[in-house]
Amino acid sequence: MNFIVVDDLLQLAESAKSQFSARDFSDHLTLVRAYEGWKDAERNQSGYEYCWKNFLSQQTLKAIDSLRKQFSYLLKDTGLVGGVESCNMWSHDEHLVRAVLCAGLFPGICSVVNKKRSISLKTLDDGAVLLHSNSVNSVEPRIPYPWLVFNEKVKVHAVFLRDSTAVSDSMVILFGGNISEGSTHGHLKMLGGYLEFFMKPTLATTYARLKRELDELIHEKLLNPKIDIGNHDELMSAVRMLVSEDACEGRFVFGRNNKQESAIKSKRDVEAGAVSKRGSGGDNPKSQLQTLLARAGYEAPIYKTKQLNNNQFRAAVMFNGMQFVGHPCRCKKEAEKTAAAEAVQWFTAIKSKQDGEASTTSRKGNFEAGPISSKGNGGDNPKSHLQTLLARDGHGAPIYKTRELNNDLFRATVMFNGLDFVGHPCRSKKEAEKAAAAKAVQWLTGDTQSSQETVEHLSAILKRSKKKLVASSWR
């Protein structure tokens, strides 16, 4: 629906549109607010004045109202819905409404990259596109979402998108098209690999299971309209939690910085993070390393290169408190690649050993090491825990180096297999060594408390919802 714009009243019309948009980055939600305001005005017999004041077409609003009633009758006739109130219990959940819009408009989707002075939009079929001037999103300096779903494209001298709504990663994964596993654990793909998401393997499994459960529930509802979806409130609560708590920062999209704006990144880091069409970094060690780090949830690596006396260069790559040094090369670019190759080799070795053990001991691999029991596995002592992990993976004992700081504190470094982990300052040498060991253990296990609790919580919800879904299908 277009707002009626008169040249002399352009600013007033834009102000009215802005009032309905509420900076929610959605033409569809803007339309919903305009429609609901018109319905309230109609009940007070002031619909005509409402449209005149807000530059709306009353004829178009009446047509929308008529279509809405027709859709409602059709859904009731098929038995898919009962009372209007029960069906609208979550109609004010903006995040869930966005997710439903994503389901209806997919695969009409484009990526959003906020640059310093502009917004870059790209679609699968057209490449770079622009926003139509009638869209509320066209006047926004930045869109804090990684994706836009749209209803229509218009081609003039360029391709323009009309009626778009910003959506998050979780909305696309759960309510978009089919998802498939990529070449590595924690890698999900959609639209033949055009959309790629990298996350921790356990979280990827949770998303895939949630989507499968949701699709099965919808399929059962279509086959048996009498099924009450309200009985599956745990599954729906898990879905609502994911779509509502997604920070919309594109943290699963490769090449995005979770903690800083992408404009802060240097050009070198952006080039190092370019993903090949195959999604795994191709044959470039720097791209492979960037892919592995993004999948594991770490920030982009930093490269430092120095020139040697023999006119050769040696580079070091640093990330998460670790440093890998490559061998001498004739140019800086090749030196950085050799340093990245050393880091990739370490990643691959860890992954292979953990995957091999997972098949025989039923423990999760790929940086998701299972919980270590307190009996014989290090307990709560990070140094013992580290010793256990290194012995299990066939590495030698770690070496600790401690130095005293100027403020009567101590800082320790633990070294093994060419890697260095530095702990935070402590009051004693013993505590400093424990801090360094804890840093190494955290890297080897690839775990954080908050993400693990979330995954375990959603997994428990899935198990309960699965039982309910199976039970309802036999009624």
Side-chain angles (χ1 to χ4, degrees):
M1 180 186 72
N2 292 333
F3 283 72
I4 301 174
V5 179
V6 181
D7 291 339
D8 295 340
L9 303 175
L10 178 60
Q11 291 184 351
L12 291 177
E14 292 297 328
S15 176
K17 184 191 296 187
S18 176
Q19 179 181 354
F20 289 121
S21 71
R23 296 211 65 187
D24 278 337
F25 310 96
S26 171
D27 291 296
H28 303 94
L29 293 179
T30 300
L31 172 59
V32 169
R33 293 190 186 94
Y35 171 81
E36 290 177 343
W38 173 73
K39 289 292 290 183
D40 291 338
E42 282 285 291
R43 284 188 284 269
N44 296 326
Q45 297 182 351
S46 57
Y48 178 80
E49 290 80 1
Y50 174 87
C51 292
W52 177 261
K53 176 182 177 181
N54 294 290
F55 300 89
L56 296 170
S57 169
Q58 188 170 21
Q59 183 178 359
T60 302
L61 288 169
K62 288 182 177 181
I64 293 174
D65 187 54
S66 176
L67 288 172
R68 183 174 182 269
K69 291 178 180 178
Q70 292 180 39
F71 289 142
S72 178
Y73 294 147
L74 289 173
L75 291 173
K76 288 180 180 179
D77 290 341
T78 57
L80 290 174
V81 301
V84 176
E85 294 184 359
S86 61
C87 295
N88 284 338
M89 59 183 300
W90 289 334
S91 62
H92 298 292
D93 187 335
E94 176 197 321
H95 303 288
L96 199 58
V97 173
R98 285 182 188 271
V100 173
L101 286 170
C102 180
L105 297 176
F106 195 89
I109 186 170
C110 76
S111 62
V112 179
V113 176
N114 292 292
K115 297 183 178 180
K116 190 172 183 179
R117 297 183 179 179
S118 62
I119 301 175
S120 175
L121 306 174
K122 291 185 179 180
T123 66
L124 173 62
D125 299 325
D126 307 290
V129 295
L130 301 173
L131 290 172
H132 196 276
S133 59
N134 286 335
S135 172
V136 297
N137 291 324
S138 64
V139 297
E140 298 293 343
R142 64 185 304 274
I143 299 176
Y145 288 79
W147 309 100
L148 282 178
V149 288
F150 58 89
N151 183 44
E152 183 182 1
K153 294 186 293 185
V154 179
K155 186 172 183 179
V156 190
H157 59 277
V159 177
F160 293 87
L161 306 183
R162 297 172 60 103
D163 302 332
S164 59
T165 291
V167 292
S168 65
D169 290 339
S170 298
M171 297 172 190
V172 175
I173 296 174
L174 294 176
F175 290 84
N178 296 328
I179 59 175
S180 60
E181 294 185 359
S183 57
T184 57
H185 296 293
H187 179 197
L188 300 179
K189 300 191 299 182
M190 303 177 73
L191 296 180
Y194 174 68
L195 305 183
E196 294 184 294
F197 303 93
F198 296 87
M199 62 194 77
K200 289 192 174 183
T202 51
L203 190 57
T205 301
T206 299
Y207 270 104
R209 290 178 60 188
L210 263 177
K211 184 175 179 61
R212 183 169 61 252
E213 297 289 339
L214 188 60
D215 290 343
E216 289 178 2
L217 177 58
I218 294 174
H219 183 68
E220 290 291 332
K221 178 67 175 178
L222 293 174
L223 293 178
N224 184 8
K226 293 183 180 180
I227 291 180
D228 186 7
I229 295 182
N231 293 331
H232 305 273
D233 55 339
E234 290 179 334
L235 172 62
M236 297 307 299
S237 296
V239 172
R240 291 183 66 197
M241 182 178 70
L242 279 178
V243 299
S244 62
E245 295 187 5
D246 192 320
C248 304
E249 57 193 2
R251 61 194 176 100
F252 299 144
V253 184
F254 181 80
R256 290 180 185 263
N257 192 337
N258 295 344
K259 297 182 179 180
Q260 300 179 15
E261 295 294 332
S262 59
I264 301 179
K265 287 186 177 181
S266 66
K267 181 179 180 181
R268 182 188 63 194
D269 290 336
V270 175
E271 292 174 351
V275 182
S276 69
K277 293 183 179 179
R278 288 183 288 176
S280 60
D283 297 327
N284 188 335
K286 294 177 66 176
S287 297
Q288 291 176 357
L289 176 61
Q290 184 80 2
T291 301
L292 291 169
L293 291 177
R295 187 193 68 194
Y298 298 109
E299 294 185 8
I302 299 175
Y303 291 88
K304 289 187 177 180
T305 308
K306 66 175 182 178
Q307 187 173 1
L308 306 178
N309 295 331
N310 54 358
N311 292 328
Q312 290 189 324
F313 297 88
R314 171 172 281 164
V317 58
M318 294 161 287
F319 54 87
N320 201 50
M322 295 195 304
Q323 176 174 307
F324 295 85
V325 180
H327 57 76
C329 297
R330 293 183 178 180
C331 66
K332 292 183 179 180
K333 186 175 181 181
E334 291 300 323
E336 291 180 354
K337 285 185 178 181
T338 62
E342 292 292 329
V344 170
Q345 185 177 4
W346 164 257
F347 267 100
T348 306
I350 291 294
K351 176 182 178 301
S352 299
K353 289 178 180 179
Q354 289 182 341
D355 285 347
E357 291 184 359
S359 61
T360 57
T361 63
S362 299
R363 287 184 296 195
K364 297 181 181 179
N366 194 37
F367 307 105
E368 296 294 333
I372 306 296
S373 66
S374 59
K375 296 181 179 180
N377 285 308
D380 296 328
N381 189 334
K383 295 180 66 176
S384 301
H385 194 163
L386 176 61
Q387 183 81 11
T388 301
L389 291 174
L390 293 179
R392 186 191 70 185
D393 292 337
H395 300 297
I399 299 175
Y400 292 88
K401 288 187 177 180
T402 308
R403 65 187 181 92
E404 186 174 2
L405 306 178
N406 296 331
N407 50 1
D408 294 330
L409 295 177
F410 296 88
R411 172 172 280 164
T413 301
V414 59
M415 296 167 286
F416 56 88
N417 202 46
L419 302 177
D420 296 346
F421 295 86
V422 181
H424 57 78
C426 298
R427 294 184 177 180
S428 66
K429 292 184 178 180
K430 186 176 181 180
E431 291 300 322
E433 290 180 354
K434 286 184 178 180
K439 196 77 175 288
V441 168
Q442 184 181 7
W443 167 257
L444 288 174
T445 58
D447 192 16
T448 59
Q449 184 72 17
S450 59
S451 62
Q452 187 66 26
E453 290 179 353
T454 301
V455 170
E456 291 175 355
H457 176 62
L458 291 178
S459 297
I461 291 176
L462 280 171
K463 291 179 181 178
R464 293 194 295 268
S465 64
K466 178 66 175 178
K467 294 179 181 179
K468 286 191 175 183
L469 181 58
V470 173
S472 64
S473 63
W474 284 96
R475 291 175 184 170

